[in-house]
Structure formats: C-alpha cells, structure tokens
C-alpha cells in the first residue's frame, strides 16, 4: 500500500516539477545567470538552460522505471526509491525558483533563503541514508513474524 502512495506522490511531484520548469522558463531573461563570483559570470541562453534541466529531470525520473523493472519483487526498495526521486524533484523545483529569483530584476536578500536550498539537500541526504535503517527494521519485522 505504501508503495502505491509513493508512486502517486512521485507522479504528482513529476507534474509539479514540469509545471515549475515551464513557469520558470517563461519568466527567465534571454541569458540566464547560472553562477556569479565577483566579476566572473556564467551565462547560458535560456533555451540551453531549459534543455539541460529537462535532460537532468529525464535521467533522474527514468531511473524510476529502470529500478522498477530490476526490483519487481522488492516493494520496500521501490517505495524508498520513489521517495528518493521525490526529494530530487523537490530540489529541482527549489533550485529553479532560486535561479528565477536571481535572474529577476527585483531586489532579493538571498542570504535569508539559504536554509531552503540546504534543507532540500539535507532532505536528499537523509532519505538516502535512511535505506539501511528501513532495511534493518523490515528484516527484523520479517524475522519476528517467522
């Protein structure tokens, strides 16, 4: 049951990240500032930025189908992996909106929202290291039932 819930949440996170990408793409200037340190600035054309993000999203989300075909019987791992991809999609949404805010003409204090980016990265790391814990409790529960 939890596997089906994670699969549904993943699908909605995929729709959300694609919606966010289209929204951000429509709002970006012709040249997108991706990185800026002092005088050095990394600029990408808007369409190149779009296709790079689409490529990353495609690779990350196609892994769901690859893992599902490889681990057909292990619903616990598949549910955990769906959750990992959900956290990646959340990170991409936050990252795209941060790049959008940075490239807008509005004044914005970016030092006040650093915790959001670090929080999304921390969520990915916490979810990734939770797999051994999940496996331990799943194995222990199956040992006690025998």
């Amino acid at each position: 049951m939890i596997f089906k819930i994670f699969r549904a949440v993943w699908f909605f996170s995929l729709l959300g990240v694609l919606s966010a990408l289209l929204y951000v793409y429509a709002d970006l200037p012709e040249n997108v500032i991706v990185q800026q340190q002092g005088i050095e600035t990394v600029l990408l054309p808007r369409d190149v930025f779009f296709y790079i993000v689409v490529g990353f999203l495609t690779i990350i989300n196609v892994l769901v189908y690859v893992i599902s075909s490889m681990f057909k019987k292990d619903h616990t791992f598949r549910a955990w992996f769906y959750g990992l991809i959900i956290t990646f999609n959340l990170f991409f949404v936050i990252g795209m909106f941060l790049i959008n805010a940075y490239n807008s003409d509005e004044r914005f204090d970016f030092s006040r929202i650093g915790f959001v980016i670090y929080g999304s990265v921390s969520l990915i790391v916490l979810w990734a290291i939770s797999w051994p814990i999940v496996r331990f409790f799943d194995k222990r529960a199956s040992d006690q039932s025998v």
Side-chain angles (χ1 to χ4, degrees), residues 11-146:
F11 179 74
F12 287 119
S13 77
L14 180 61
L15 290 178
V17 76
L18 291 177
S19 300
L21 176 62
L22 292 176
Y23 177 80
V24 167
Y25 176 74
D27 199 34
L28 287 175
E30 283 300 315
N31 290 317
V32 178
I33 299 173
V34 178
Q35 181 181 10
Q36 188 172 22
Q37 290 181 341
I39 317 173
E40 296 181 26
T41 303
V42 177
L43 291 172
L44 286 176
R46 180 171 78 165
D47 54 343
V48 171
F49 174 77
F50 175 79
Y51 289 121
I52 288 173
V53 172
V54 165
F56 277 126
L57 290 175
T58 302
I59 290 169
I60 294 292
N61 286 286
V62 164
L63 285 175
V64 165
Y65 296 110
V66 172
I67 294 299
S68 290
S69 67
M70 291 173 62
F71 296 95
K72 288 187 185 279
K73 302 285 184 195
D74 193 0
H75 289 293
T76 306
F77 180 72
R78 287 171 58 190
W80 174 84
F81 194 76
Y82 274 104
L84 183 65
I85 299 302
I86 292 167
T87 59
F88 275 112
N89 286 341
L90 178 68
F91 172 75
F92 277 121
V93 167
I94 291 170
M96 285 187 296
F97 278 115
L98 181 68
I99 288 176
N100 186 31
Y102 192 78
N103 283 283
S104 70
D105 294 331
E106 299 174 17
R107 286 236 184 253
F108 198 78
D109 185 13
F110 293 100
S111 64
R112 297 180 70 193
I113 63 165
F115 72 93
V116 176
I117 290 289
Y118 296 129
S120 63
V121 172
S122 300
L123 184 63
I124 291 171
V125 170
L126 284 174
W127 196 271
I129 62 175
S130 72
W131 174 243
I133 298 166
V134 168
R135 184 53 97 183
F136 173 75
F137 284 115
D138 188 43
K139 188 175 184 176
R140 189 171 176 162
S142 65
D143 289 344
Q144 288 179 355
S145 66
V146 173

